[in-house]
Amino acid sequence: MEDILKVAMPKGRIYKQAAKLFHKAGLPIPEDLEEGRRLIIPVPEAKMEFILAKPVDVPTYVEYGVADIGVVGKDVLMEENRNVYELLDLGIARCRMSVIGLPDWKPVINPRVATKYPNVASQYFREKGQQVEVIKLNGSIELAPLIGLADRIVDMVETGQTLKENGLVEQEEIFQITSRLIANRVSYRLKNDSIQRLCDMLQAVLPVAGKI
Ligand code: PRP
């Protein structure tokens, strides 16, 4: 059992792209894992076990060592700030974190900023020396400036479609986002051979090789 590698995979938009990459690397992870309701999927032929987690929880599973490694977006990594190793930039699920507002937005004193990423937003405006009130929301962030809850929002932009359909504009880009392979610090030492092997296999099929 010890040499089984436990991999936390994010459910949702990243999963399919990650599964495709793992497949390309010769790892027989089911591509339709999400169609069922199972949360733990053993793949004994690859000596792996996949744990399907909410994306925001992946670094938590990895930090606590219940998963040896995980796939997670840079957005979640920046927000959660967990004690894990970042091993590889997988180059998938590419998007960006941005400040967004209405086209006629004008600076006000102590503006309200709504976001799913309160730590990222607070740090960004602190570093710019701007005082803001950050309001944490859990989804549909684009609503906030439309209904007067916030002056601006900090959110992920992928295709820009959500902004377009809601008459919002991207004002400042904060950072680029891609998915990363992360590892538990103890697992990285104890299971170094299998983690390294996995990294090598993935790296060989990455569009832009991404050792960090
Ligand atoms: C994310 C993000 C934006 C949207 C951006 O929301 O918060 O709303 O995707 O994608 P686009 O630029 O391709 O339109 P998500 O779908 O995760 O749902 P949420 O609103 O519940 O956060």
Side-chain angles (χ1 to χ4, degrees), residues 93-120:
R94 196 172 285 279
C95 53
R96 53 200 182 270
M97 184 71 72
S98 296
V99 183
I100 293 152
L102 286 161
D104 59 357
W105 173 81
K106 291 201 178 48
V108 292
I109 294 167
N110 204 15
R112 292 201 298 228
V113 176
T115 185
K116 250 193 301 196
Y117 303 90
N119 294 327
V120 165

Side-chain angles (χ1 to χ4, degrees), residues 31-192:
E31 283 195 59
D32 57 353
L33 205 54
E34 289 194 298
E35 278 167 19
R37 301 295 297 171
R38 277 201 307 164
L39 296 173
I40 301 177
I41 318 287
V43 183
E45 59 273 37
K47 291 190 168 176
M48 284 187 184
E49 181 175 279
F50 289 90
I51 299 163
L52 278 189
K54 222 176 135 82
V56 68
D57 293 332
V58 166
T60 312
Y61 290 115
V62 173
E63 181 184 283
Y64 282 89
V66 291
D68 300 303
I69 57 175
V71 172
V72 65
K74 186 70 179 172
D75 54 326
V76 172
L77 272 186
M78 297 290 279
E79 178 64 23
E80 295 294 309
N81 201 18
R82 291 282 176 182
N83 186 14
V84 295
Y85 284 133
E86 196 177 321
L87 301 179
L88 269 185
D89 181 348
L90 300 175
I92 55 170
R94 196 172 285 279
C95 53
R96 53 200 182 270
M97 184 71 72
S98 296
V99 183
I100 293 152
L102 286 161
D104 59 357
W105 173 81
K106 291 201 178 48
V108 292
I109 294 167
N110 204 15
R112 292 201 298 228
V113 176
T115 185
K116 250 193 301 196
Y117 303 90
N119 294 327
V120 165
S122 301
Q123 186 183 344
Y124 177 71
F125 288 108
R126 194 169 48 243
E127 282 171 5
K128 286 184 68 124
Q130 295 177 12
Q131 196 169 344
V132 302
E133 180 184 344
V134 172
I135 301 172
K136 163 86 199 277
L137 292 176
N138 293 298
S140 303
I141 315 298
E142 291 81 3
L143 265 178
L146 302 179
I147 58 176
L149 175 65
D151 300 284
R152 305 168 94 185
I153 62 174
V154 165
D155 201 14
M156 250 172 57
V157 181
E158 192 179 1
T159 60
Q161 194 60 26
T162 312
L163 298 188
K164 208 170 151 205
E165 287 188 21
N166 291 288
L168 296 166
V169 292
E170 206 172 345
Q171 298 170 334
E172 295 159 33
E173 181 180 309
I174 305 181
F175 55 81
Q176 288 279 326
I177 300 168
T178 45
S179 298
R180 310 297 164 106
L181 188 74
I182 58 170
N184 171 270
R185 289 179 180 271
V186 176
S187 300
Y188 188 70
R189 273 191 281 116
L190 297 183
K191 299 187 179 179
N192 190 267

